Amino acid sequence: ARALGQPGVAAALAGQDLAASRTPFAPRLEGPGFWPTAWPPLAPQRVRFVGEAVAVLGEESAAQAADACELVEVDYEPLAPIADVEAALAPGAPLLHDGVPGNVLFRRDYSYGDVEGEFARAHIVLRETFSHGRCSASPLEARGIAAAWERDRLTVWSGTQAPHIFRTALARAFRLPDDHVRVIVPDTGGGFGQKMHVLPEDVAVAALARVAGRPVKWIETRRENLAAASQAREGSVDIEAAADRDGVLLALRARVISDNGAYHIYPLTAALEPPGTAAIIPGPYRTPAYAWEALAVATNKPPLGAYRGVGMTMGAFVMERTLDLLAERLGLNPADIRRRNLIPRDAYPFTSAAGFVYDSGDYPKALEMALELAGYDALKRERDEARTRGRLLGVGISCYTEYTGMGSATYRQRGMVEVPGPEAARVSVEADGTVRCRLSFSSQGQGHATTAAQIVADELGVPLEQVVVSQPDTDETPKGSGTFASRGAIALSGAAGAAAVTLKARILDAAGGLLEASPADLVLNGGRVSVRGMPDRGVSLAEVARAVGAASLEVTERFDPPGPTFSGAVHVASVEVDAETGRVTVRRYVVVEDCGPVINPMIVEGQIHGAVAQGIGEALGERLVYDESGQLLTGSLMDYALPAAADLPSFTLGHLETPSPLTPGGHKGMGEGGTIGGPAAIANAVADAVKALGVRVTSLPILPEALVSRKPTPAS
């Protein structure tokens, strides 16, 4: 009431105002071990994490709205905090949700092979616990939404990664048919997974627009992003690895526990990070037997969601550190233990111990390419010589595989019913000869417009600049799922590529009538159709479109990726640790990436650069910290340590192309790889550097203060 009384306040809502009229987000997962939650657009009675929205106000300017928010009075009754997994799982712990017994949102287990028998006959058994801190996707352009109503029809402008999922979620929240919601995606900055979610603020802003009777825009502040948007990673893995005397893996056991935060996130639920980590732990290695258990636990923090490399980053960290620890115990070179366990090229398709069918790859070759590019033997000699002078240099390797390009079959198998799976593209020729490509999924800097234009232009024989690729508008673009999980290139090839093939046949057929020639005798090149061998006898695309009508030259193709298809890479990192301060400097970094045939090398390399930068930041500094009462202590970029350009080395990249037999063109996804392989390579390099200090590297991020607890022994 106090806020509403201020000049310029158009509307204000609290949780109780929306409780009866708006459906909370309650994403579903089919299968055992899942307990649902309901996340309201504004908390009506109980807040479950610091930063959860309780009220929303509309003002003429952002500054006026901030002032008005200061007038909102909230009467809080403190509750016992559930600040971490230990508190959530403790006997007699308070329940965050009455319908979630023991605060366990999701639990699943799995077993393959003779796990007990392999452990019984092992020469060595390694047991370790690894952990990963909580982190943020931190896109430079934070979340934003504008909403406007026309009677009972809602239009929103959003930087969402999944426009049709976003539309369905808003329609469900406002109890409308899907076609009563229109989602327009403008040019958008990075998302990194965070912008594929639909969060309560999206509903609250649209609800405020309806009450105010005018459009409303909300742009997230950095503090709101760090405190209330989806977060990532936090969890631990208890791993046991059994190997023979030569370091050959025999079996693995893993218990993965994820600190999920307060709610299931829409549309993915909490069944994302822990089973993803568990399933990818065997990586590109032969493992005869494997058993895992995965839990997602509710705590008083924002929910975990998708972030570049979700689940797989932790899985690679665990597996790659485990291999290095095994090698150390057995007196083996880290490169050699990998050589002895990597899946050979001729073993594909290969069924992993986690049940994945790896379709393609050549990790032994990728490893040798990466070691050669890095000058691995020279780096080790440099490291050993530096140690005689008290300098702490280290070299680390990581090999990983990642699931990419998943479609409906994979999502249904996982029980994920809120993610459709297919994508679509509509390709048309306009009256002026422009070729327009409308995609069902959006771009947040991945270069989809360039890649799609290349695919369409190559197929249609038109100049690249003649192809216009549009961001999605759900009123005009075909229905699809979205941009996430490294599926862009695969979806582009399957949808836009197929549409261009069909459209080309239509163009040639129409031009044949104009030129009185068989379509088989025509050539489409440079935006012009001509008779083969008679270049002067031809017509332009514009002439064809005007003759037959542009509507005749429009094709929509739907593509449901058959994957997953598995891409991967080998990373080699060289670091130096300052013995006095513990500061880590990354000296050299090499990646050999296999994403199948490369469509655009510059885009692929840009994706690798950006992802490795995020991986290095995640390894060496990024962490969201909460105190024992659930208060966020890292609420600004003064406290949350994003990597700066000066923290990063130059990158040396190599490409290995093993085509997938599953996808059009053999393409595989690659957008997440740097954040998967980066932290593991850095962790192994730092562990190598501080071996003489007696410091164990089992947790990310690796903080300087953890690396200076002991002095090195001379010449060790």
Side-chain angles (χ1 to χ4, degrees):
R2 289 179 63 200
L4 273 171
Q6 296 301 302
V9 175
L13 296 169
Q16 292 291 359
D17 299 319
L18 301 179
S21 60
R22 304 291 175 260
T23 302
F25 290 135
R28 297 175 296 132
L29 185 87
E30 292 182 348
F34 177 81
W35 289 270
T37 62
W39 193 359
L42 298 170
Q45 287 182 306
R46 179 178 179 178
V47 292
R48 291 179 168 87
F49 64 88
V50 172
E52 185 169 7
V54 297
V56 59
L57 294 88
E59 258 277 13
E60 292 293 334
S61 72
Q64 289 173 309
D67 290 342
C69 280
E70 293 294 324
L71 300 175
V72 175
E73 295 181 1
V74 185
D75 183 15
Y76 289 111
E77 178 185 345
L79 301 175
I82 306 171
D84 52 35
V85 165
E86 289 73 19
L89 297 178
L95 295 181
L96 206 58
H97 301 272
D98 292 339
V100 179
N103 292 313
V104 176
L105 296 164
F106 170 83
R107 182 195 299 267
R108 191 161 291 175
D109 55 32
Y110 169 91
S111 184
Y112 169 85
D114 182 11
V115 177
E116 299 304 321
E118 297 290 358
F119 270 92
R121 72 182 186 88
H123 172 73
I124 182 174
V125 174
L126 179 91
R127 296 179 176 86
E128 189 57 83
T129 297
F130 295 97
S131 62
H132 198 306
R134 203 171 189 88
C135 60
S136 167
S138 297
L140 293 183
E141 177 187 275
R143 293 180 297 151
I145 181 174
W149 290 84
E150 187 175 351
R151 292 184 292 276
D152 63 345
R153 194 165 196 270
L154 170 64
T155 299
V156 298
W157 292 259
S158 168
T160 175
Q161 294 176 230
H164 291 89
I165 289 175
F166 195 83
R167 180 180 72 170
T168 296
L170 290 179
R172 189 178 299 172
F174 285 96
R175 302 166 191 173
L176 297 169
D178 276 13
D179 61 5
H180 279 49
V181 178
R182 179 183 185 184
V183 177
I184 300 170
V185 182
D187 288 337
T188 301
F192 312 118
Q194 190 176 78
K195 293 177 183 175
M196 81 159 294
H197 307 122
V198 193
L199 296 177
E201 294 94 333
D202 299 315
V203 176
V205 170
L208 190 71
R210 191 165 208 176
V211 171
R214 56 195 296 191
V216 171
K217 179 178 74 172
W218 172 67
I219 302 295
E220 184 181 49
T221 66
R222 183 56 54 183
R223 182 171 181 81
E224 286 171 328
N225 179 264
L226 290 169
S230 64
Q231 298 178 351
R233 303 284 196 257
E234 186 173 13
S236 65
V237 178
D238 297 324
I239 188 79
E240 295 178 87
D244 67 15
R245 65 182 62 252
D246 296 319
V248 175
L249 290 168
L250 302 174
L252 297 168
R253 291 193 195 100
R255 188 170 193 254
V256 182
I257 301 179
S258 172
D259 185 332
N260 183 80
Y263 299 96
H264 287 289
I265 200 160
Y266 191 94
L268 299 171
T269 77
L272 185 68
E273 190 88 40
T277 295
I280 210 66
I281 280 176
Y285 304 106
R286 292 169 291 184
T287 310
Y290 180 38
W292 57 259
E293 180 187 22
L295 294 84
V297 179
T299 62
N300 288 126
K301 298 171 187 172
L304 292 193
Y307 172 47
R308 204 171 193 174
V310 60
M312 296 180 283
T313 298
M314 183 65 165
F317 168 60
V318 169
M319 191 67 205
E320 296 304 301
R321 285 298 296 128
T322 296
L323 282 175
D324 267 27
L325 292 172
L326 281 172
E328 184 179 336
R329 292 265 296 271
L330 293 167
L332 296 174
N333 184 309
D336 285 339
I337 197 170
R338 288 168 173 81
R339 290 183 177 111
R340 297 177 187 188
N341 287 285
L342 284 170
I343 302 162
R345 171 72 184 262
D346 60 7
Y348 290 92
F350 180 86
T351 302
S352 80
F356 284 134
V357 179
Y358 298 162
D359 55 309
S360 58
D362 189 347
Y363 284 91
K365 183 176 181 179
L367 176 62
E368 300 310 322
M369 287 175 63
L371 296 178
E372 182 178 355
L373 277 175
Y376 182 65
D377 291 336
L379 287 175
K380 290 194 298 178
R381 288 193 297 270
E382 182 186 23
R383 173 201 64 191
D384 295 342
E385 191 277 331
R387 285 178 181 173
T388 65
R389 294 182 284 108
R391 291 178 64 197
L392 303 177
L393 271 61
V395 186
I397 304 170
S398 74
C399 309
Y400 69 87
T401 189
E402 61 169 317
Y403 38 80
T404 74
M406 295 172 286
S408 62
T410 302
Y411 293 121
R412 298 301 85 76
Q413 183 182 25
R414 291 183 176 186
M416 298 172 68
V417 297
E418 310 286 4
V419 181
E423 296 299 342
R426 181 172 296 137
V427 182
S428 60
V429 181
E430 299 184 352
D432 62 355
T434 298
V435 177
R436 185 169 295 278
C437 179
R438 296 176 175 87
L439 301 172
S440 61
F441 53 97
S442 48
S443 176
Q444 299 82 39
Q446 303 97 322
H448 288 165
T450 301
T451 306
Q454 277 186 255
I455 292 170
V456 171
D458 287 350
E459 190 59 49
L460 293 182
V462 300
L464 187 66
E465 57 272 16
Q466 198 168 330
V467 181
V468 176
V469 181
S470 305
Q471 284 278 70
D473 173 342
T474 57
D475 272 10
E476 298 182 3
T477 51
K479 190 174 182 179
S481 303
T483 308
F484 46 83
S486 296
R487 63 205 307 270
I490 296 164
L492 286 172
S493 300
V501 169
T502 303
L503 180 59
K504 181 178 181 179
R506 289 192 188 178
I507 292 168
L508 294 177
D509 188 60
L514 297 176
L515 297 171
E516 298 180 345
S518 168
D521 294 329
L522 300 179
V523 177
L524 179 51
N525 186 42
R528 180 177 171 81
V529 184
S530 60
V531 178
R532 195 181 308 275
M534 303 173 65
D536 293 337
R537 187 181 168 199
V539 290
S540 68
L541 269 187
E543 290 174 301
V544 175
R546 287 195 294 267
V548 301
S552 300
L553 300 182
E554 179 178 281
V555 174
T556 300
E557 290 284 356
R558 181 177 179 271
F559 177 69
D560 192 358
T565 179
F566 286 82
S567 61
V570 177
H571 291 219
V572 180
S574 170
V575 306
E576 180 168 6
V577 178
D578 187 297
E580 295 297 324
T581 66
R583 180 177 172 83
V584 177
T585 301
V586 183
R587 305 172 66 246
R588 182 160 171 73
Y589 205 98
V590 170
V591 181
V592 172
E593 173 89 21
D594 178 9
C595 61
V598 174
I599 299 171
N600 186 308
M602 183 178 290
I603 285 176
V604 167
E605 292 180 4
Q607 288 285 296
I608 296 170
H609 285 185
V612 171
Q614 287 180 293
I616 291 173
E618 186 174 334
L620 296 178
E622 291 188 47
R623 61 174 185 153
L624 290 161
V625 180
Y626 288 81
D627 68 14
E628 65 279 0
S629 65
Q631 297 290 327
L632 178 65
L633 303 180
T634 50
S636 77
L637 296 185
M638 294 289 287
D639 310 299
Y640 185 81
L642 289 175
D647 299 327
L648 305 172
S650 295
F651 302 124
T652 302
L653 307 182
H655 298 288
L656 177 65
E657 298 183 353
T658 62
S660 170
L662 303 179
T663 63
H667 304 300
K668 301 186 279 192
M670 50 67 56
E672 300 171 90
T675 54
I676 299 170
I682 295 293
N684 279 337
V686 172
D688 184 44
V690 299
K691 192 181 303 182
L693 302 180
V695 177
R696 296 164 65 245
V697 176
T698 58
S699 182
L700 295 177
I702 304 164
L703 302 177
E705 56 265 34
L707 302 179
V708 292
S709 58
R710 300 180 189 177
K711 295 293 183 183
T713 55
S716 61

